[in-house]
Amino acid sequence: MGTVSLESFRVDVERLRAEAVAVLGAAADDAGLEQARIEFAGAKSGRLKGIQKLLGGLDGADRPEAGRLFNEAKGAITAALDAAQVRLAGAAAEAAAIDVTLPGLPFRLGHVHPITQTIRRVQEIMARLGFESVDGPEVEDQWHNFEALAIGAEHPARDPLDNFYLAVAQGADPLLLRSQTSTVQIRVMEQRKPPLRIVSLGRVYRPDTADATHYPMFHQVEGLLVEPGATMADLKGVLRFLASSFLGGDVHVRFRPSFFPFTEPSVEFDMEWGGRWVEMGGAGMVDPAVLAAVGYDPAEVSGFAFGLGVERIAARRYGVADIRDFYRNDVRFLQQF
Ligand code: DAH
């Protein structure tokens, strides 16, 4: 006869199981759980181990049933231990993730670059006068950058030292980074019939040494109007409207005689704002030779064109002394706009 009856073994196992599952399920933190684990499932002197030792005192015939009861209880306690571990880990992660008592994290919003702001503003002002905003390619051929604009082969503006010519296959037509946005005048007129009013703002490239007023890449505004009966007076009115709207207040525009191969007559225009005259850009009536080059009849339509530097008007408006600041990507500078 064994010293332990199957009945008392069953009672002990069930009691231990119920108690262990309750205690493990109630463990409030890692330390409490570890203590409970050692008490019930500790390898050397855990209470489960104590029950296991009783198995030796059972009758041989009762041992299979007692073993089954023991394994069942052990499985249930192990499962309760795992569940408690998962529960506490989840609670810890949740506590770390959301502390509802902390102030919220501010979003760091960037904003639009001052040059892009200027471009959008000019586009918006010109749209009010019916000028549609168009784009052109930055890699150009000689026709659009020079020839169609009546800038002949011998013109100094075509000098390789004054342009970024690209390496092309031998015998292929030379390509360059456009040196002016006047290219877009040609591209649009080749595609469309007059009347037209367009404005194009984009990058141009010239191998200038960077200083306070020069940069090898900068942006231009190009405007073009072609209609029957367009005059220099219209040109001046448009420039004055653009300048007043952009800078605010009353802006005066003055023309000085000048020369551009693609306008006749040609002028340079200055603007007076805040008591100071500043040179802004070039303009003129589109040369009849240019109209003819794109298949327009100079006897039927006339037009005016103008070009000015975006950096220059942005610097004027925002009081920036050195245009290189626009490209240094220093947020302390950029944040101000
Ligand atoms: N493309 C000229 C330049 O880069 C500026 C210019 C002058 C544009 C006269 C024009 C114009 O449209 O009519 O210096």
Side-chain angles (χ1 to χ4, degrees), residues 180 182 185 206 220 222 260 262-263 282-284 305-307:
Q180 51 183 354
S182 302
Q185 292 185 28
R206 293 178 194 176
Q220 285 186 331
E222 189 80 19
F260 297 101
F262 42 94
T263 45
F306 61 90

Side-chain angles (χ1 to χ4, degrees), residues 106-292:
F107 286 107
R108 280 172 53 93
L109 279 187
H111 51 86
V112 176
H113 191 280
I115 293 297
T116 307
Q117 286 184 36
T118 304
I119 287 172
R120 291 185 184 167
R121 180 104 178 88
V122 170
Q123 286 172 330
E124 184 265 316
I125 293 165
M126 294 302 292
R128 289 192 242 153
L129 296 175
F131 284 76
E132 178 196 346
S133 186
V134 295
D135 272 335
E138 290 177 22
V139 173
E140 266 297 5
D141 51 36
Q142 307 212 86
W143 168 255
H144 293 97
N145 202 86
F146 301 124
E147 279 151 30
L149 291 161
I151 303 172
E154 303 305 321
H155 196 283
R158 297 177 66 153
D159 195 305
L161 293 177
D162 287 332
N163 292 283
F164 287 109
Y165 283 94
L166 305 183
V168 293
Q170 217 173 11
D173 286 340
L175 294 173
L176 73 159
L177 298 179
R178 67 179 178 189
S179 62
Q180 51 183 354
T181 47
S182 302
T183 54
V184 185
Q185 292 185 28
I186 303 304
R187 290 202 169 264
V188 171
M189 288 192 286
E190 282 172 339
Q191 299 277 320
R192 304 188 194 178
K193 292 277 153 245
L196 53 89
R197 295 181 182 192
I198 57 107
V199 66
S200 187
L201 291 93
R203 295 189 181 92
V204 299
Y205 302 85
R206 293 178 194 176
D208 289 328
T209 303
D211 61 25
T213 54
H214 296 84
Y215 207 73
M217 181 282 303
F218 60 103
H219 297 75
Q220 285 186 331
V221 184
E222 189 80 19
L224 171 70
L225 176 148
V226 183
E227 281 171 19
T231 70
M232 291 283 278
D234 301 325
L235 167 62
K236 199 168 195 177
V238 167
L239 290 173
R240 188 165 176 201
F241 179 82
L242 171 60
S244 302
S245 307
F246 182 75
L247 295 170
D250 203 12
V251 180
H252 296 278
V253 172
R254 109 184 141 190
F255 285 161
R256 281 180 289 113
S258 185
F259 175 78
F260 297 101
F262 42 94
T263 45
E264 178 60 36
S266 302
V267 296
E268 279 177 62
F269 61 98
D270 309 329
M271 294 173 183
E272 193 240 51
W273 185 67
R276 200 154 64 90
W277 284 99
V278 188
E279 196 182 313
M280 296 310 268
M285 300 306 292
V286 181
D287 194 304
V290 173
L291 295 174

